[in-house]
Amino acid sequence: EKGGYEHFMLKEIYEQPSAIVDTYRGRMLVDKGMVRMAGMDDNIERFVNAKRILIVACGTSWHAGLVAEYIFEDFARVPVEVEYASEFRYRNPIIDENDVVIAISQSGETADTMAAIKLAKSKGAFVFGVCNVVGSSISRETHAGAYTHAGPEIGVASTKAFTTQITVLSLMALKLAKAKGNMSNTDFHYHLQELDLIPGKIKKALEANEHIKEVAKKYMNAANFLYLGRGFNFPVALEGALKLKEISYIHAEGYPAAEMKHGPIALIDENMPVVVIATKKGHYEKVVSNIQEIKSREARIIGIVTEGDTDVRSMSDYVIEVPDTVEAFTPLLTTIPLQLLSYHIAVMLGKNVDQPRNLAKSVTVE
Ligand code: M6R
């Protein structure tokens, strides 16, 4: 049932290229230059007229929501807020019928996310679900939705659910951008083509596995890790840190790279591995100068870079390459080495990768 893999988590990491194809199949019509998604098509006015989009979720799904915030605002020019469902539900939020709420949940059973949905509905908001488990409670409670079609995710650490959530949310953002006239046809088309190339590029990123094992071996005994990213890859830094924490029990934190100098840089010494997502896009130059800042404090740098990068390589102890793509889709690639890194560290430390202590696959109590 693990298909020859040692753990479900590894199997699910390797399933990502085909899972993403399953997510966009029948929805992304590259030749016709359109995105078809029944749950959105049937309610397109609600989306087009939304004054704001509010995303509620927990854990890794919340990280997918943060990536979506960058994508929706960039493509569709609609204000987006991302909330922890557990905070949203108890803080008397300002929300009304002009809001579209997107609830993201792999299991579709998370208690806090469910409660947030009920609250949003009671205020008149339109609630759209992005779930993986077909027929789950959240998929039934929402007004409309889109399944991720990632297939069963057994490992407690979420992997393919995350990248397929980002895929669905990217399709939604593209569709909304088009419906609102915020993106030229050329640009829209170009993004569809780029998304279509992502599964092949993930395969390529997975080829770094043996090299990532070496990196894991080198740093498996570290007491702490830092993960840094900016822009679309800031949430990926948070996700990388969460993956390491939950399966290896190593303390890790994710930070926006530029926040380092506001406090956390004090933590840095030669024993601190810092994973920096530094793809050659958007904030590249800024990230390079952030790396210089921490390098001068002796940190060990593990750079996640675009193929062929030389600048970050020259400053890093290790680099892990991912293929190039448009900035908005880089999280789909930069996530892959971070999943593998935490997986190998946990295995080398002898931890129970698929069922880490204290954790359950779905959190049905608040
Ligand atoms: O099923 P959900 O997506 O609603 O679950 C949310 C979180 O409990 C979940 O993502 C959790 O953080 C994972 N263990 C992360 O790997």
mmCIF file of all heavy atoms in Angstrom, residues 195-240:
data_model
loop_
_atom_site.group_PDB
_atom_site.id
_atom_site.type_symbol
_atom_site.label_atom_id
_atom_site.label_comp_id
_atom_site.label_asym_id
_atom_site.label_seq_id
_atom_site.Cartn_x
_atom_site.Cartn_y
_atom_site.Cartn_z
ATOM 1 N N LEU A 195 1.792 26.746 -15.455
ATOM 2 C CA LEU A 195 1.239 25.813 -14.459
ATOM 3 C C LEU A 195 1.271 24.388 -14.999
ATOM 4 O O LEU A 195 1.551 23.433 -14.262
ATOM 5 C CB LEU A 195 -0.198 26.241 -14.085
ATOM 6 C CG LEU A 195 -0.803 25.631 -12.826
ATOM 7 C CD1 LEU A 195 0.105 25.792 -11.608
ATOM 8 C CD2 LEU A 195 -2.172 26.275 -12.528
ATOM 9 N N ASP A 196 1.022 24.275 -16.289
ATOM 10 C CA ASP A 196 1.049 22.971 -16.948
ATOM 11 C C ASP A 196 2.446 22.334 -16.886
ATOM 12 O O ASP A 196 2.582 21.114 -16.943
ATOM 13 C CB ASP A 196 0.618 23.182 -18.411
ATOM 14 C CG ASP A 196 0.100 21.905 -19.043
ATOM 15 O OD1 ASP A 196 -0.449 21.065 -18.308
ATOM 16 O OD2 ASP A 196 0.246 21.748 -20.270
ATOM 17 N N LEU A 197 3.467 23.161 -16.777
ATOM 18 C CA LEU A 197 4.845 22.644 -16.735
ATOM 19 C C LEU A 197 5.287 22.250 -15.325
ATOM 20 O O LEU A 197 6.327 21.602 -15.145
ATOM 21 C CB LEU A 197 5.824 23.710 -17.275
ATOM 22 C CG LEU A 197 5.670 24.096 -18.752
ATOM 23 C CD1 LEU A 197 6.592 25.264 -19.091
ATOM 24 C CD2 LEU A 197 5.979 22.900 -19.653
ATOM 25 N N ILE A 198 4.494 22.644 -14.325
ATOM 26 C CA ILE A 198 4.910 22.428 -12.929
ATOM 27 C C ILE A 198 5.123 20.949 -12.574
ATOM 28 O O ILE A 198 6.155 20.611 -11.962
ATOM 29 C CB ILE A 198 3.932 23.136 -11.943
ATOM 30 C CG1 ILE A 198 4.088 24.660 -12.027
ATOM 31 C CG2 ILE A 198 4.110 22.637 -10.510
ATOM 32 C CD1 ILE A 198 5.428 25.217 -11.530
ATOM 33 N N PRO A 199 4.210 20.035 -12.944
ATOM 34 C CA PRO A 199 4.453 18.632 -12.560
ATOM 35 C C PRO A 199 5.803 18.112 -13.048
ATOM 36 O O PRO A 199 6.531 17.454 -12.279
ATOM 37 C CB PRO A 199 3.285 17.884 -13.216
ATOM 38 C CG PRO A 199 2.186 18.913 -13.267
ATOM 39 C CD PRO A 199 2.879 20.214 -13.576
ATOM 40 N N GLY A 200 6.181 18.423 -14.269
ATOM 41 C CA GLY A 200 7.479 17.994 -14.803
ATOM 42 C C GLY A 200 8.623 18.625 -14.017
ATOM 43 O O GLY A 200 9.657 17.989 -13.776
ATOM 44 N N LYS A 201 8.437 19.868 -13.618
ATOM 45 C CA LYS A 201 9.492 20.556 -12.863
ATOM 46 C C LYS A 201 9.602 20.004 -11.444
ATOM 47 O O LYS A 201 10.687 19.983 -10.864
ATOM 48 C CB LYS A 201 9.232 22.065 -12.857
ATOM 49 C CG LYS A 201 9.436 22.678 -14.232
ATOM 50 C CD LYS A 201 9.167 24.170 -14.252
ATOM 51 C CE LYS A 201 9.400 24.703 -15.669
ATOM 52 N NZ LYS A 201 9.155 26.163 -15.758
ATOM 53 N N ILE A 202 8.481 19.556 -10.875
ATOM 54 C CA ILE A 202 8.549 18.916 -9.548
ATOM 55 C C ILE A 202 9.354 17.623 -9.659
ATOM 56 O O ILE A 202 10.189 17.320 -8.806
ATOM 57 C CB ILE A 202 7.139 18.662 -8.964
ATOM 58 C CG1 ILE A 202 6.465 19.996 -8.637
ATOM 59 C CG2 ILE A 202 7.228 17.774 -7.714
ATOM 60 C CD1 ILE A 202 5.090 19.895 -8.023
ATOM 61 N N LYS A 203 9.123 16.872 -10.741
ATOM 62 C CA LYS A 203 9.911 15.639 -10.965
ATOM 63 C C LYS A 203 11.392 15.964 -10.949
ATOM 64 O O LYS A 203 12.198 15.251 -10.363
ATOM 65 C CB LYS A 203 9.547 15.008 -12.315
ATOM 66 C CG LYS A 203 8.321 14.146 -12.238
ATOM 67 C CD LYS A 203 8.132 13.328 -13.513
ATOM 68 C CE LYS A 203 6.727 12.728 -13.498
ATOM 69 N NZ LYS A 203 6.128 12.642 -14.821
ATOM 70 N N LYS A 204 11.722 17.039 -11.621
ATOM 71 C CA LYS A 204 13.116 17.486 -11.673
ATOM 72 C C LYS A 204 13.620 17.835 -10.267
ATOM 73 O O LYS A 204 14.717 17.448 -9.869
ATOM 74 C CB LYS A 204 13.167 18.715 -12.595
ATOM 75 C CG LYS A 204 14.512 19.131 -13.096
ATOM 76 C CD LYS A 204 14.971 18.320 -14.296
ATOM 77 C CE LYS A 204 16.479 18.457 -14.513
ATOM 78 N NZ LYS A 204 16.887 19.855 -14.832
ATOM 79 N N ALA A 205 12.800 18.560 -9.511
ATOM 80 C CA ALA A 205 13.191 18.954 -8.154
ATOM 81 C C ALA A 205 13.407 17.722 -7.270
ATOM 82 O O ALA A 205 14.284 17.702 -6.406
ATOM 83 C CB ALA A 205 12.135 19.874 -7.542
ATOM 84 N N LEU A 206 12.612 16.680 -7.503
ATOM 85 C CA LEU A 206 12.733 15.444 -6.714
ATOM 86 C C LEU A 206 14.063 14.726 -6.970
ATOM 87 O O LEU A 206 14.522 13.938 -6.141
ATOM 88 C CB LEU A 206 11.563 14.500 -7.025
ATOM 89 C CG LEU A 206 10.190 14.927 -6.474
ATOM 90 C CD1 LEU A 206 9.067 14.126 -7.144
ATOM 91 C CD2 LEU A 206 10.126 14.754 -4.959
ATOM 92 N N GLU A 207 14.673 15.021 -8.116
ATOM 93 C CA GLU A 207 15.954 14.375 -8.440
ATOM 94 C C GLU A 207 17.083 14.805 -7.493
ATOM 95 O O GLU A 207 18.137 14.177 -7.455
ATOM 96 C CB GLU A 207 16.362 14.675 -9.893
ATOM 97 C CG GLU A 207 15.514 13.905 -10.884
ATOM 98 C CD GLU A 207 15.753 14.348 -12.325
ATOM 99 O OE1 GLU A 207 16.743 15.074 -12.585
ATOM 100 O OE2 GLU A 207 14.936 13.957 -13.187
ATOM 101 N N ALA A 208 16.839 15.859 -6.733
ATOM 102 C CA ALA A 208 17.868 16.308 -5.777
ATOM 103 C C ALA A 208 17.863 15.451 -4.507
ATOM 104 O O ALA A 208 18.644 15.704 -3.567
ATOM 105 C CB ALA A 208 17.640 17.773 -5.417
ATOM 106 N N ASN A 209 17.016 14.428 -4.471
ATOM 107 C CA ASN A 209 16.842 13.632 -3.245
ATOM 108 C C ASN A 209 18.139 13.160 -2.592
ATOM 109 O O ASN A 209 18.321 13.313 -1.389
ATOM 110 C CB ASN A 209 15.917 12.448 -3.541
ATOM 111 C CG ASN A 209 15.538 11.701 -2.285
ATOM 112 O OD1 ASN A 209 15.205 12.319 -1.274
ATOM 113 N ND2 ASN A 209 15.609 10.382 -2.326
ATOM 114 N N GLU A 210 19.041 12.591 -3.387
ATOM 115 C CA GLU A 210 20.280 12.052 -2.790
ATOM 116 C C GLU A 210 21.129 13.163 -2.184
ATOM 117 O O GLU A 210 21.711 13.011 -1.108
ATOM 118 C CB GLU A 210 21.095 11.269 -3.843
ATOM 119 C CG GLU A 210 20.482 9.919 -4.201
ATOM 120 C CD GLU A 210 20.249 9.003 -2.984
ATOM 121 O OE1 GLU A 210 21.156 8.918 -2.123
ATOM 122 O OE2 GLU A 210 19.159 8.398 -2.872
ATOM 123 N N HIS A 211 21.176 14.276 -2.878
ATOM 124 C CA HIS A 211 21.927 15.432 -2.386
ATOM 125 C C HIS A 211 21.288 15.957 -1.081
ATOM 126 O O HIS A 211 21.982 16.310 -0.124
ATOM 127 C CB HIS A 211 21.940 16.508 -3.473
ATOM 128 C CG HIS A 211 22.540 17.810 -3.041
ATOM 129 N ND1 HIS A 211 23.807 17.896 -2.483
ATOM 130 C CD2 HIS A 211 22.053 19.080 -3.056
ATOM 131 C CE1 HIS A 211 24.056 19.169 -2.197
ATOM 132 N NE2 HIS A 211 23.006 19.899 -2.526
ATOM 133 N N ILE A 212 19.963 15.966 -1.041
ATOM 134 C CA ILE A 212 19.251 16.451 0.152
ATOM 135 C C ILE A 212 19.546 15.532 1.349
ATOM 136 O O ILE A 212 19.678 15.992 2.484
ATOM 137 C CB ILE A 212 17.733 16.577 -0.135
ATOM 138 C CG1 ILE A 212 17.508 17.666 -1.196
ATOM 139 C CG2 ILE A 212 16.948 16.896 1.140
ATOM 140 C CD1 ILE A 212 16.105 17.753 -1.749
ATOM 141 N N LYS A 213 19.701 14.229 1.070
ATOM 142 C CA LYS A 213 20.075 13.284 2.132
ATOM 143 C C LYS A 213 21.401 13.682 2.771
ATOM 144 O O LYS A 213 21.579 13.597 3.974
ATOM 145 C CB LYS A 213 20.229 11.878 1.527
ATOM 146 C CG LYS A 213 19.084 10.955 1.825
ATOM 147 C CD LYS A 213 19.474 9.530 1.410
ATOM 148 C CE LYS A 213 18.234 8.807 0.938
ATOM 149 N NZ LYS A 213 18.535 7.526 0.307
ATOM 150 N N GLU A 214 22.340 14.114 1.935
ATOM 151 C CA GLU A 214 23.644 14.555 2.465
ATOM 152 C C GLU A 214 23.476 15.766 3.380
ATOM 153 O O GLU A 214 24.106 15.851 4.427
ATOM 154 C CB GLU A 214 24.558 15.003 1.313
ATOM 155 C CG GLU A 214 25.283 13.894 0.607
ATOM 156 C CD GLU A 214 25.958 14.442 -0.651
ATOM 157 O OE1 GLU A 214 26.581 15.524 -0.597
ATOM 158 O OE2 GLU A 214 25.823 13.786 -1.698
ATOM 159 N N VAL A 215 22.635 16.686 2.942
ATOM 160 C CA VAL A 215 22.400 17.892 3.745
ATOM 161 C C VAL A 215 21.763 17.486 5.076
ATOM 162 O O VAL A 215 22.137 17.975 6.152
ATOM 163 C CB VAL A 215 21.485 18.892 2.987
ATOM 164 C CG1 VAL A 215 21.266 20.152 3.809
ATOM 165 C CG2 VAL A 215 22.069 19.233 1.622
ATOM 166 N N ALA A 216 20.817 16.538 4.996
ATOM 167 C CA ALA A 216 20.128 16.065 6.198
ATOM 168 C C ALA A 216 21.124 15.464 7.172
ATOM 169 O O ALA A 216 21.094 15.724 8.378
ATOM 170 C CB ALA A 216 19.058 15.042 5.813
ATOM 171 N N LYS A 217 22.040 14.665 6.633
ATOM 172 C CA LYS A 217 23.032 13.988 7.461
ATOM 173 C C LYS A 217 23.929 14.996 8.183
ATOM 174 O O LYS A 217 24.267 14.847 9.355
ATOM 175 C CB LYS A 217 23.886 13.080 6.569
ATOM 176 C CG LYS A 217 24.645 12.049 7.310
ATOM 177 C CD LYS A 217 25.006 10.881 6.417
ATOM 178 C CE LYS A 217 25.881 9.928 7.198
ATOM 179 N NZ LYS A 217 26.849 9.246 6.348
ATOM 180 N N LYS A 218 24.250 16.033 7.455
ATOM 181 C CA LYS A 218 25.142 17.053 8.000
ATOM 182 C C LYS A 218 24.491 17.807 9.180
ATOM 183 O O LYS A 218 25.168 18.153 10.145
ATOM 184 C CB LYS A 218 25.482 18.023 6.859
ATOM 185 C CG LYS A 218 26.324 19.195 7.253
ATOM 186 C CD LYS A 218 27.799 18.865 7.195
ATOM 187 C CE LYS A 218 28.609 20.046 7.694
ATOM 188 N NZ LYS A 218 29.999 19.732 7.912
ATOM 189 N N TYR A 219 23.186 18.068 9.088
ATOM 190 C CA TYR A 219 22.559 18.950 10.087
ATOM 191 C C TYR A 219 21.559 18.261 11.010
ATOM 192 O O TYR A 219 20.898 18.912 11.802
ATOM 193 C CB TYR A 219 21.889 20.142 9.381
ATOM 194 C CG TYR A 219 22.896 20.988 8.652
ATOM 195 C CD1 TYR A 219 22.950 21.017 7.261
ATOM 196 C CD2 TYR A 219 23.830 21.731 9.371
ATOM 197 C CE1 TYR A 219 23.905 21.771 6.598
ATOM 198 C CE2 TYR A 219 24.792 22.488 8.715
ATOM 199 C CZ TYR A 219 24.828 22.504 7.331
ATOM 200 O OH TYR A 219 25.777 23.245 6.696
ATOM 201 N N MET A 220 21.449 16.927 10.918
ATOM 202 C CA MET A 220 20.421 16.226 11.692
ATOM 203 C C MET A 220 20.541 16.412 13.201
ATOM 204 O O MET A 220 19.566 16.275 13.925
ATOM 205 C CB MET A 220 20.439 14.730 11.368
ATOM 206 C CG MET A 220 21.767 14.076 11.675
ATOM 207 S SD MET A 220 21.816 12.340 11.190
ATOM 208 C CE MET A 220 21.270 11.566 12.693
ATOM 209 N N ASN A 221 21.732 16.761 13.677
ATOM 210 C CA ASN A 221 21.888 16.909 15.125
ATOM 211 C C ASN A 221 21.762 18.352 15.615
ATOM 212 O O ASN A 221 21.964 18.624 16.801
ATOM 213 C CB ASN A 221 23.207 16.293 15.578
ATOM 214 C CG ASN A 221 23.176 14.786 15.397
ATOM 215 O OD1 ASN A 221 22.200 14.138 15.805
ATOM 216 N ND2 ASN A 221 24.186 14.226 14.753
ATOM 217 N N ALA A 222 21.394 19.251 14.738
ATOM 218 C CA ALA A 222 21.208 20.648 15.159
ATOM 219 C C ALA A 222 20.028 20.733 16.129
ATOM 220 O O ALA A 222 19.071 19.971 16.032
ATOM 221 C CB ALA A 222 20.954 21.528 13.944
ATOM 222 N N ALA A 223 20.119 21.659 17.073
ATOM 223 C CA ALA A 223 19.036 21.809 18.058
ATOM 224 C C ALA A 223 17.943 22.736 17.525
ATOM 225 O O ALA A 223 16.789 22.668 17.944
ATOM 226 C CB ALA A 223 19.602 22.355 19.364
ATOM 227 N N ASN A 224 18.311 23.603 16.623
ATOM 228 C CA ASN A 224 17.381 24.600 16.076
ATOM 229 C C ASN A 224 17.649 24.808 14.600
ATOM 230 O O ASN A 224 18.787 24.682 14.151
ATOM 231 C CB ASN A 224 17.597 25.963 16.746
ATOM 232 C CG ASN A 224 17.403 25.910 18.238
ATOM 233 O OD1 ASN A 224 16.287 25.875 18.712
ATOM 234 N ND2 ASN A 224 18.505 25.889 18.980
ATOM 235 N N PHE A 225 16.604 25.188 13.883
ATOM 236 C CA PHE A 225 16.729 25.549 12.466
ATOM 237 C C PHE A 225 15.959 26.844 12.232
ATOM 238 O O PHE A 225 14.912 27.064 12.853
ATOM 239 C CB PHE A 225 16.034 24.499 11.580
ATOM 240 C CG PHE A 225 16.927 23.434 11.025
ATOM 241 C CD1 PHE A 225 17.372 22.397 11.813
ATOM 242 C CD2 PHE A 225 17.264 23.440 9.664
ATOM 243 C CE1 PHE A 225 18.150 21.376 11.284
ATOM 244 C CE2 PHE A 225 18.039 22.429 9.126
ATOM 245 C CZ PHE A 225 18.493 21.391 9.931
ATOM 246 N N LEU A 226 16.449 27.643 11.314
ATOM 247 C CA LEU A 226 15.654 28.795 10.862
ATOM 248 C C LEU A 226 15.347 28.622 9.381
ATOM 249 O O LEU A 226 16.186 28.111 8.624
ATOM 250 C CB LEU A 226 16.431 30.096 11.035
ATOM 251 C CG LEU A 226 16.293 30.841 12.353
ATOM 252 C CD1 LEU A 226 17.248 32.023 12.356
ATOM 253 C CD2 LEU A 226 14.861 31.331 12.560
ATOM 254 N N TYR A 227 14.165 29.045 8.976
ATOM 255 C CA TYR A 227 13.762 29.018 7.569
ATOM 256 C C TYR A 227 13.378 30.435 7.177
ATOM 257 O O TYR A 227 12.540 31.053 7.838
ATOM 258 C CB TYR A 227 12.547 28.100 7.369
ATOM 259 C CG TYR A 227 12.863 26.632 7.466
ATOM 260 C CD1 TYR A 227 13.082 26.026 8.698
ATOM 261 C CD2 TYR A 227 12.936 25.840 6.317
ATOM 262 C CE1 TYR A 227 13.370 24.671 8.786
ATOM 263 C CE2 TYR A 227 13.227 24.486 6.399
ATOM 264 C CZ TYR A 227 13.449 23.909 7.630
ATOM 265 O OH TYR A 227 13.733 22.571 7.717
ATOM 266 N N LEU A 228 13.982 30.928 6.115
ATOM 267 C CA LEU A 228 13.703 32.301 5.693
ATOM 268 C C LEU A 228 13.213 32.353 4.245
ATOM 269 O O LEU A 228 13.701 31.612 3.394
ATOM 270 C CB LEU A 228 14.971 33.159 5.809
ATOM 271 C CG LEU A 228 15.681 33.173 7.158
ATOM 272 C CD1 LEU A 228 16.941 34.045 7.077
ATOM 273 C CD2 LEU A 228 14.752 33.695 8.252
ATOM 274 N N GLY A 229 12.287 33.240 4.003
ATOM 275 C CA GLY A 229 11.808 33.465 2.641
ATOM 276 C C GLY A 229 11.160 34.828 2.574
ATOM 277 O O GLY A 229 10.885 35.441 3.602
ATOM 278 N N ARG A 230 10.927 35.298 1.367
ATOM 279 C CA ARG A 230 10.228 36.585 1.205
ATOM 280 C C ARG A 230 9.152 36.422 0.154
ATOM 281 O O ARG A 230 9.214 35.533 -0.683
ATOM 282 C CB ARG A 230 11.187 37.684 0.742
ATOM 283 C CG ARG A 230 12.270 37.992 1.737
ATOM 284 C CD ARG A 230 13.105 39.163 1.267
ATOM 285 N NE ARG A 230 12.395 40.421 1.412
ATOM 286 C CZ ARG A 230 12.965 41.551 1.817
ATOM 287 N NH1 ARG A 230 14.243 41.598 2.099
ATOM 288 N NH2 ARG A 230 12.257 42.656 1.921
ATOM 289 N N GLY A 231 8.180 37.325 0.174
ATOM 290 C CA GLY A 231 7.145 37.329 -0.854
ATOM 291 C C GLY A 231 6.406 36.011 -0.903
ATOM 292 O O GLY A 231 6.070 35.430 0.138
ATOM 293 N N PHE A 232 6.181 35.497 -2.098
ATOM 294 C CA PHE A 232 5.440 34.242 -2.275
ATOM 295 C C PHE A 232 6.073 33.106 -1.479
ATOM 296 O O PHE A 232 5.409 32.118 -1.162
ATOM 297 C CB PHE A 232 5.408 33.839 -3.762
ATOM 298 C CG PHE A 232 4.624 34.770 -4.643
ATOM 299 C CD1 PHE A 232 5.227 35.866 -5.233
ATOM 300 C CD2 PHE A 232 3.274 34.538 -4.891
ATOM 301 C CE1 PHE A 232 4.511 36.726 -6.057
ATOM 302 C CE2 PHE A 232 2.542 35.389 -5.711
ATOM 303 C CZ PHE A 232 3.161 36.496 -6.298
ATOM 304 N N ASN A 233 7.361 33.220 -1.186
ATOM 305 C CA ASN A 233 8.054 32.136 -0.483
ATOM 306 C C ASN A 233 8.195 32.339 1.019
ATOM 307 O O ASN A 233 8.769 31.498 1.701
ATOM 308 C CB ASN A 233 9.424 31.890 -1.116
ATOM 309 C CG ASN A 233 9.263 31.128 -2.423
ATOM 310 O OD1 ASN A 233 8.837 29.979 -2.407
ATOM 311 N ND2 ASN A 233 9.560 31.786 -3.536
ATOM 312 N N PHE A 234 7.631 33.436 1.530
ATOM 313 C CA PHE A 234 7.605 33.566 2.990
ATOM 314 C C PHE A 234 6.755 32.445 3.610
ATOM 315 O O PHE A 234 7.216 31.758 4.540
ATOM 316 C CB PHE A 234 7.133 34.974 3.402
ATOM 317 C CG PHE A 234 6.557 35.032 4.778
ATOM 318 C CD1 PHE A 234 7.285 34.563 5.871
ATOM 319 C CD2 PHE A 234 5.276 35.535 4.995
ATOM 320 C CE1 PHE A 234 6.736 34.592 7.159
ATOM 321 C CE2 PHE A 234 4.730 35.565 6.268
ATOM 322 C CZ PHE A 234 5.462 35.091 7.349
ATOM 323 N N PRO A 235 5.535 32.198 3.094
ATOM 324 C CA PRO A 235 4.752 31.092 3.687
ATOM 325 C C PRO A 235 5.438 29.730 3.531
ATOM 326 O O PRO A 235 5.238 28.838 4.358
ATOM 327 C CB PRO A 235 3.428 31.119 2.909
ATOM 328 C CG PRO A 235 3.338 32.484 2.303
ATOM 329 C CD PRO A 235 4.743 32.926 2.058
ATOM 330 N N VAL A 236 6.236 29.570 2.483
ATOM 331 C CA VAL A 236 6.955 28.295 2.299
ATOM 332 C C VAL A 236 7.985 28.114 3.423
ATOM 333 O O VAL A 236 8.218 26.994 3.898
ATOM 334 C CB VAL A 236 7.630 28.234 0.905
ATOM 335 C CG1 VAL A 236 8.435 26.944 0.746
ATOM 336 C CG2 VAL A 236 6.579 28.337 -0.194
ATOM 337 N N ALA A 237 8.569 29.221 3.872
ATOM 338 C CA ALA A 237 9.497 29.147 5.007
ATOM 339 C C ALA A 237 8.750 28.649 6.253
ATOM 340 O O ALA A 237 9.240 27.787 6.990
ATOM 341 C CB ALA A 237 10.140 30.509 5.257
ATOM 342 N N LEU A 238 7.557 29.170 6.475
ATOM 343 C CA LEU A 238 6.753 28.713 7.621
ATOM 344 C C LEU A 238 6.438 27.226 7.491
ATOM 345 O O LEU A 238 6.517 26.466 8.459
ATOM 346 C CB LEU A 238 5.429 29.493 7.705
ATOM 347 C CG LEU A 238 5.509 31.004 7.888
ATOM 348 C CD1 LEU A 238 4.104 31.590 8.008
ATOM 349 C CD2 LEU A 238 6.330 31.362 9.119
ATOM 350 N N GLU A 239 6.095 26.821 6.289
ATOM 351 C CA GLU A 239 5.733 25.418 6.048
ATOM 352 C C GLU A 239 6.951 24.501 6.220
ATOM 353 O O GLU A 239 6.840 23.421 6.806
ATOM 354 C CB GLU A 239 5.112 25.288 4.643
ATOM 355 C CG GLU A 239 4.830 23.875 4.165
ATOM 356 C CD GLU A 239 3.845 23.086 5.019
ATOM 357 O OE1 GLU A 239 3.229 23.658 5.933
ATOM 358 O OE2 GLU A 239 3.713 21.881 4.771
ATOM 359 N N GLY A 240 8.107 24.942 5.751
ATOM 360 C CA GLY A 240 9.326 24.146 5.920
ATOM 361 C C GLY A 240 9.626 23.930 7.395
ATOM 362 O O GLY A 240 9.984 22.817 7.822
#
